[in-house]
């Protein structure tokens, strides 16, 4: 009998060991969320991947253990056979149909109307209470039913002060949502309120990125929609409107320009004071998204007013960040020092600090048609797929885990942590714009599974522990945005059900006495007394559009795109043209040069008094654009620059301004020109008395004036201030 006991004991021990292995290696229960795309979402319980070579780390399972390198055959291969036929993304919605699936295969029109009305009511409940209890302050505290402005008693409270500038933020941010909802009357009233009450001459220190996407972007969008001759929302022209919103946008952009001054890399400071420029105690660190997501709004403004300054500084920042990417992986980090160009944060991911940088590379190309923007986007998208994507090769078939994008070290692709953040939920929408619908469907399902579990997206979710790391949800729109774009791409009713689920969750879990409140804790549903402006400008807008098939945006022959703050801007041919090239040509078009002039190039001579320790030849004269006769050796001296096109003249002007801002002691001591060549081509220089190289060692106002004068070179309203020098028709 003793041997039988031993055998039974051994069998029990074996069963226990198998159970332990089953749990440790993540072969246990899946998430348990059912939805028509058949994912198991088996998030294994693992140890963090150890340091190792790239081939070892980049596997098709997110959580695969590090097997003994001496036995590579022991690793699981999860790739599909090369002979497997590639299936259309539509098959995701057609296979494995059961009763649960059929629930999502249709969405009745009556239910669509109900959800549209529910989204509309949600917007107006927040908007009306903001106007009643909070305007003209920036935000509504929906629990206390009162307004919120900057935290003047605690300037270091950047969570509040980065966003709130004492400029009626929520009203401005919501302008085009009123049009999307078809309320032209309230839109007109809101525009008049903004014109009559908003000023940016405030002693407020705000984040450049937030002021750009929320305020500048909305003002530009509302101006375009008011003046667009095609009127996608009907005849919405406002009587006596005289481009006031555009003037406000222009004024704000000028106040943001000091962020680009006194930075060795061209990457802007993260914050400016709207009255005084960059604060003296400003840090030299900024995030990639904050510095590299200005190009859409700045670019549109430049093309609306015919002034290249704004697009130039924004594009220069993007290129500076791009040039700092890793040579090994092609990835960028998330925090950079604007003076040294060194990466302070080496994490590369899709979420906070990175997200809209990718987004604006693609959207800038769509809007402006600059091929370089798409080349950059394509390259970084390939790097993302190569180094951030984990899981099996195909979305809905094959072995291994469904795809997931993780946070990695930008230099070697090693996983840095095991969390994702809610901002990453924007990425499926970007994939739709890029035509990668299959991967968009798959990634969107991952985030929706998290929403199904909590009725919200926690700010950070740990995919190893299958639990939130950061528990709050501030009514973010990213998952709703991706849901809307995927529905537009596939027209599959599943996404209407997703939208209904999100809408009902928000109504149930976040509605309070005077609006909708941030969830402090996605599990117990406790709340914080804050309703951020993007809830009205994005979350409600995308929910409404999801259920409004007949919206003018969907029916208009004109095509539109949404900024990262959800503001509507048209894809318009005028944004693919640079009006300053027509107004400031170096050569008169369609004219033969005089017989006695063999070359009508304008020869500009710049004399540099002293060198700059961190200044490169390329920084000074943009070698890829300008032809320089004498090589600049970094030690001062005379340099002659040959300019042939308007772009080259413009580039030189910006180079001189750059020299002046960085030299502080008068880098440029002389600007001469080959007067005969320029005159024979029909142009001459205007030498304004204001132009003198700055001599003050700490003259922020003078340097700011340099840029402000430059941007006033061409503007909507004539000004007595001129750029330091420019070409003008005789």
């Amino acid at each position: 009998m003793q041997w039988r006991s031993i055998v039974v004991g051994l069998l029990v021990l074996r069963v226990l060991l198998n159970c332990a292995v089953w749990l440790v290696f993540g072969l246990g229960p899946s998430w348990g969320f059912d939805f028509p795309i058949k994912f198991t979402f088996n998030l294994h319980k693992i140890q963090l991947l150890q340091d190792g070579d790239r081939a070892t780390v980049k596997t098709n399972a997110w959580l695969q253990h590090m097997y003994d390198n001496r036995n590579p055959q022991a690793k699981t291969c999860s790739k599909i056979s090369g002979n497997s036929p590639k299936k259309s993304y539509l098959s995701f919605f057609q296979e494995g149909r059961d009763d649960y699936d059929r629930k999502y295969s249709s969405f009745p029109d009556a239910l669509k109307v109900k959800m549209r009305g529910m989204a509309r009511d949600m917007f107006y409940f927040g908007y009306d209470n903001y106007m009643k209890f909070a305007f003209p302050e920036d935000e509504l505290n929906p629990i206390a039913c009162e307004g919120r402005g900057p935290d003047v008693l605690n300037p270091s409270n950047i969570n509040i002060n980065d966003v709130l500038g004492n400029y009626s933020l929520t009203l401005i941010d919501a302008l085009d949502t009123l049009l999307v909802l078809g309320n032209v009357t309230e839109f007109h009233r809101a525009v008049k309120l903004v014109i009559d009450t908003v000023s940016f001459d405030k002693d407020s220190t705000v984040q450049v990125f937030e002021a750009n996407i929320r305020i500048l972007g909305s003002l530009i969008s509302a101006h375009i929609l008011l003046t667009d001759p095609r009127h996608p929302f009907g005849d919405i022209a406002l009587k006596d409107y005289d481009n006031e919103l555009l003037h406000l946008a222009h004024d704000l952009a000028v106040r943001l320009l000091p962020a680009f001054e006194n930075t060795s890399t061209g990457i802007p400071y993260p914050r400016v004071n709207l009255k005084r420029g960059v604060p003296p105690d400003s840090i030299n660190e900024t995030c990639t998204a904050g510095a590299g997501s200005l190009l859409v709004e700045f670019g549109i403004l430049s093309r609306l007013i015919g002034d290249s300054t704004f697009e130039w500084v924004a594009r220069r920042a993007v290129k500076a960040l791009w040039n700092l990417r890793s040579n090994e992986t092609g990835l960028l980090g998330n925090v950079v020092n604007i003076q040294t160009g060194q990466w302070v944060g080496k994490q590369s991911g899709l979420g906070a600090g990175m997200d809209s940088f990718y987004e604006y590379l693609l959207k800038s190309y769509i809007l402006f048609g600059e091929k370089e923007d798409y080349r950059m986007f394509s390259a970084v998208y390939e790097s993302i797929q190569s180094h951030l994507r984990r899981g099996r090769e195909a979305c809905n078939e094959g072995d291994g885990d469904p795809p997931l994008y993780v946070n990695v070290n930008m230099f070697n692709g090693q996983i840095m942590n095991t969390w994702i953040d809610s901002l990453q939920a924007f990425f499926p929408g970007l994939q739709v714009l890029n035509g990668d619908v299959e991967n968009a469907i798959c990634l969107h399902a991952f985030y929706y599974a998290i929403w199904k579990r909590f009725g919200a997206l926690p700010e950070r979710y740990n995919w190893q522990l299958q639990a939130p790391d950061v528990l709050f949800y501030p009514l973010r729109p990213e998952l709703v945005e991706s849901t809307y774009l995927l529905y537009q791409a596939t027209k599959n009713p599943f996404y209407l059900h997703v939208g209904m689920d999100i809408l009902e969750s928000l109504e149930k879990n976040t509605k309070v006495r005077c609006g909708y409140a941030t969830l402090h804790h996605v599990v117990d549903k406790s709340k914080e007394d804050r309703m951020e402006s993007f809830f009205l400008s994005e979350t409600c807008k995308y929910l409404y559009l999801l259920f409004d098939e007949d919206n003018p945006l969907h029916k208009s022959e004109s095509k539109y795109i949404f900024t990262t703050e959800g503001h509507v801007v048209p894809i318009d041919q005028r944004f693919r043209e640079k009006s300053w090239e027509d107004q400031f040509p170096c050569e008169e078009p369609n004219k033969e040069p005089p017989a006695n002039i063999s070359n009508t190039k304008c020869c500009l001579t710049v004399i540099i008094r002293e060198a700059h320790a961190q200044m490169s030849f390329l920084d000074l004269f943009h070698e890829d654009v300008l032809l320089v006769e004498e090589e600049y050796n970094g030690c001062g001296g005379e340099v002659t620059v040959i300019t042939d096109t308007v772009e080259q003249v413009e580039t030189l002007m910006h180079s001189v301004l750059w020299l002046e801002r960085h030299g502080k002691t008068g880098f440029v001591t002389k600007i001469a020109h080959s007067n005969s060549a320029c005159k024979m081509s029909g142009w001459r220089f205007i030498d304004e008395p204001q132009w003198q190289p700055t001599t003050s060692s700490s003259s922020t106002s003078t340097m700011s004036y340099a840029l402000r004068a430059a941007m006033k070179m061409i503007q909507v309203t004539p000004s007595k201030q001129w750029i330091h020098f420019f070409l003008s028709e005789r």
Side-chain angles (χ1 to χ4, degrees):
M1 294 297 294
Q2 186 176 5
W3 67 269
R4 291 182 180 177
S5 299
I6 294 174
V7 169
V8 170
L10 290 173
L11 289 173
V12 170
L13 180 61
R14 180 175 180 180
V15 169
L16 291 175
L17 287 173
N18 285 340
C19 289
V21 171
W22 182 71
L23 290 173
V24 170
F25 283 85
L27 301 174
S30 68
W31 289 43
F33 302 137
D34 296 318
F35 41 90
I37 308 175
K38 292 299 185 181
F39 300 107
T40 58
F41 286 108
N42 192 357
L43 295 175
H44 305 300
K45 304 170 181 67
I46 56 131
Q47 300 172 348
L48 282 173
L49 293 177
Q50 308 283 321
D51 288 341
D53 59 38
R54 182 66 194 145
T56 302
V57 174
K58 183 66 173 75
T59 65
N60 289 308
W62 317 331
L63 316 168
Q64 183 174 336
H65 280 280
M66 300 299 294
Y67 293 100
D68 189 343
N69 288 333
R70 292 170 299 177
N71 184 19
Q73 285 75 23
K75 297 180 182 179
T76 302
C77 178
S78 62
K79 290 187 177 181
I80 303 173
S81 166
N83 298 323
S84 300
K86 185 174 177 63
K87 298 185 178 181
S88 165
Y89 65 81
L90 294 175
S91 65
F92 298 165
F93 303 104
Q94 296 168 349
E95 297 177 355
R97 302 288 295 274
D98 55 25
D99 291 340
Y100 187 78
D101 292 339
R102 293 189 184 94
K103 172 185 174 182
Y104 291 92
S105 63
S106 64
F107 201 90
D109 289 341
L111 187 57
K112 198 180 298 183
V113 171
K114 179 182 177 181
M115 290 300 105
R116 184 175 69 230
M118 194 171 171
R120 181 183 60 245
D121 292 345
M122 178 176 284
F123 170 83
Y124 281 119
F125 187 69
Y127 176 82
D128 290 343
N129 280 301
Y130 165 77
M131 296 303 297
K132 180 178 179 180
F133 297 108
F135 177 79
E137 294 194 70
D138 288 309
E139 285 181 351
L140 169 69
N141 289 346
I143 297 176
C145 299
E146 62 185 19
R148 178 200 293 265
D151 188 352
V152 295
L153 298 179
N154 182 15
S156 64
N157 184 4
I158 59 176
N159 182 48
I160 298 296
N161 293 332
D162 272 1
V163 179
L164 309 189
N166 194 21
Y167 38 37
S168 302
L169 169 65
T170 296
L171 176 63
I172 295 177
D173 212 1
L175 286 176
D176 66 334
T177 307
L178 290 167
L179 276 185
V180 168
L181 269 63
N183 195 339
V184 177
T185 301
E186 182 60 22
F187 172 71
H188 283 167
R189 187 177 83 93
V191 167
K192 290 177 182 176
L193 277 174
V194 170
I195 293 172
D196 293 340
T197 65
V198 172
S199 167
F200 298 120
D201 191 25
K202 301 288 179 66
D203 188 14
S204 300
T205 298
V206 296
Q207 192 183 79
V208 175
F209 169 76
E210 295 290 358
N212 173 65
I213 65 170
R214 300 200 198 200
I215 300 292
L216 185 63
S218 184
L219 292 172
I220 290 171
S221 172
H223 166 76
I224 293 171
L225 296 174
L226 269 173
T227 58
D228 190 337
R230 289 163 295 190
H231 295 306
F233 295 104
D235 186 4
I236 61 168
L238 179 60
K239 185 179 179 181
D240 298 326
Y241 176 70
D242 191 23
N243 297 330
E244 289 92 345
L245 296 183
L246 184 60
H247 293 313
L248 279 171
H250 191 181
D251 178 48
L252 175 61
V254 169
R255 296 173 188 273
L256 299 180
L257 280 179
F260 297 88
E261 300 170 14
N262 297 319
T263 152
S264 299
T265 60
I267 301 171
Y269 285 91
R271 299 174 183 88
V272 296
N273 182 282
L274 296 178
K275 263 186 182 293
R276 299 190 298 269
V278 177
D281 60 346
S282 182
I283 61 173
N284 287 329
E285 296 172 4
T286 190
C287 69
T288 302
S293 304
L294 308 172
L295 186 52
V296 166
E297 290 82 3
F298 272 41
I300 294 174
L301 179 63
S302 277
R303 291 163 195 251
L304 283 175
I305 66 176
D307 175 9
S308 63
T309 302
F310 304 102
E311 181 174 343
W312 187 85
V313 295
R315 191 170 291 282
R316 183 170 183 264
V318 170
K319 290 180 180 178
L321 288 165
W322 183 251
N323 290 334
L324 295 175
R325 69 192 187 281
S326 167
N327 292 329
E328 294 295 323
T329 65
L331 298 172
L332 296 87
N334 59 345
V335 180
V336 68
N337 186 299
I338 65 173
Q339 303 297 353
T340 66
Q342 297 296 311
W343 289 105
V344 180
K346 299 176 178 62
Q347 176 178 299
S348 190
L350 300 181
M354 301 288 298
D355 49 355
S356 53
F357 176 79
Y358 310 127
E359 178 184 1
Y360 270 22
L361 289 178
L362 181 58
K363 289 185 177 179
S364 294
Y365 169 70
I366 293 172
L367 283 170
F368 307 132
E370 299 285 350
K371 294 180 180 179
E372 182 181 13
D373 294 335
Y374 190 67
R375 283 196 293 268
M376 289 188 288
F377 174 79
S378 297
V380 78
Y381 191 77
E382 182 178 347
S383 295
I384 288 169
Q385 298 302 316
S386 298
H387 300 286
L388 272 63
R389 191 181 189 273
R390 297 295 192 272
R392 60 186 177 230
E393 183 174 312
C395 174
N396 207 36
E397 57 185 334
D399 300 324
D401 301 300
L404 173 72
Y405 294 84
V406 299
N407 299 318
V408 304
N409 185 297
M410 65 172 288
F411 293 109
N412 56 30
Q414 302 283 341
I415 294 179
M416 292 190 69
N417 50 56
T418 57
W419 52 259
I420 57 171
D421 64 55
S422 63
L423 288 168
Q424 292 177 320
F426 92 99
F427 199 68
L430 187 64
Q431 290 178 308
V432 169
L433 293 182
N434 193 43
D436 191 359
V437 181
E438 294 186 17
N439 277 311
I441 289 170
C442 196
L443 186 59
H444 173 273
F446 173 82
Y447 291 105
Y448 177 50
I450 301 174
W451 183 283
K452 288 284 287 183
R453 180 175 176 185
F454 299 105
L457 275 185
E459 191 70 355
R460 283 186 184 174
Y461 184 83
N462 191 306
W463 47 261
Q464 179 190 21
L465 301 177
Q466 303 183 39
D469 270 357
V470 179
L471 289 156
F472 71 90
Y473 168 66
L475 310 175
R476 291 200 187 278
E478 283 74 18
L479 180 60
V480 185
E481 176 187 6
S482 290
T483 302
Y484 165 69
L485 291 171
L486 271 166
Y487 179 67
Q488 291 300 310
T490 66
K491 292 300 180 182
N492 193 282
F494 167 69
Y495 295 107
L496 297 175
H497 286 275
V498 173
M500 181 171 68
D501 192 3
I502 293 172
L503 188 55
E504 291 177 340
S505 296
L506 291 172
E507 191 71 18
K508 176 183 177 182
N509 298 325
T510 69
K511 189 173 185 178
V512 293
R513 185 159 62 110
C514 293
Y516 295 83
T518 292
L519 286 182
H520 176 73
H521 197 297
V522 296
V523 178
D524 66 23
K525 303 301 186 289
S526 57
K527 298 171 181 65
E528 296 179 16
D529 196 8
R530 187 177 187 186
M531 186 179 81
E532 293 225 36
S533 67
F534 52 65
F535 176 69
L536 299 182
S537 71
E538 296 185 81
T539 307
C540 291
K541 179 185 293 166
Y542 288 127
L543 283 170
Y544 183 82
L545 285 171
L546 178 63
F547 298 106
D548 188 18
E549 298 277 4
D550 296 324
N551 194 275
L553 282 181
H554 300 149
K555 297 296 185 179
S556 173
E557 293 182 359
S558 303
K559 302 302 179 184
Y560 289 82
I561 200 168
F562 296 94
T563 70
T564 194
E565 186 71 8
H567 297 306
V568 179
V569 292
I571 301 172
D572 196 318
Q573 181 60 36
R574 59 181 160 160
F575 297 147
R576 298 198 168 204
E577 299 168 354
K578 301 176 182 177
S579 60
W580 51 87
E581 291 186 347
D582 297 329
Q583 298 186 42
F584 290 88
C586 184
E587 287 187 273
E588 201 171 40
N590 302 322
K591 257 195 177 182
E592 292 295 327
N596 60 336
I597 298 292
S598 59
N599 190 328
T600 59
K601 297 176 186 294
C602 299
C603 304
L604 306 176
T605 301
V606 180
I607 298 178
I608 301 168
R609 189 155 72 95
E610 59 184 77
H612 189 284
Q614 297 176 337
M615 192 179 301
S616 71
F617 179 79
L618 185 60
D619 285 331
L620 282 177
F621 295 111
H622 303 267
E623 188 177 14
D624 56 333
V625 177
L626 297 175
L627 173 63
V628 180
E629 283 191 340
E630 292 86 17
E631 182 175 350
Y632 175 67
N633 58 18
C635 299
E638 182 173 301
V639 179
T640 299
V641 182
I642 307 298
T643 60
D644 189 22
T645 67
V646 176
E647 182 183 15
Q648 292 171 344
V649 174
E650 174 190 310
T651 302
L652 177 63
M653 294 192 303
H654 287 301
S655 294
V656 172
L657 289 176
W658 193 91
L659 283 166
E660 183 179 338
R661 293 198 308 278
H662 288 72
K664 294 186 179 181
T665 55
F667 254 1
V668 182
T669 58
K670 177 185 176 183
I671 296 177
H673 57 87
S674 176
N675 199 42
S676 59
C678 290
K679 280 191 174 182
M680 292 304 293
S681 62
W683 301 88
R684 66 182 176 86
F685 274 95
I686 291 180
D687 298 312
E688 288 295 321
Q690 295 107 318
W691 186 72
Q692 292 292 334
T694 176
T695 56
S696 170
S697 59
S698 59
S699 52
T700 303
S701 61
T702 303
M703 296 179 193
S704 177
Y705 168 77
L707 270 179
R708 295 182 186 187
M711 57 80 54
K712 288 177 182 292
M713 176 175 62
I714 313 169
Q715 58 176 13
V716 178
T717 303
S719 169
K720 293 182 180 179
Q721 292 178 304
W722 296 89
I723 194 170
H724 292 70
F725 70 99
F726 62 94
L727 291 174
S728 176
E729 191 169 7
R730 189 185 311 171

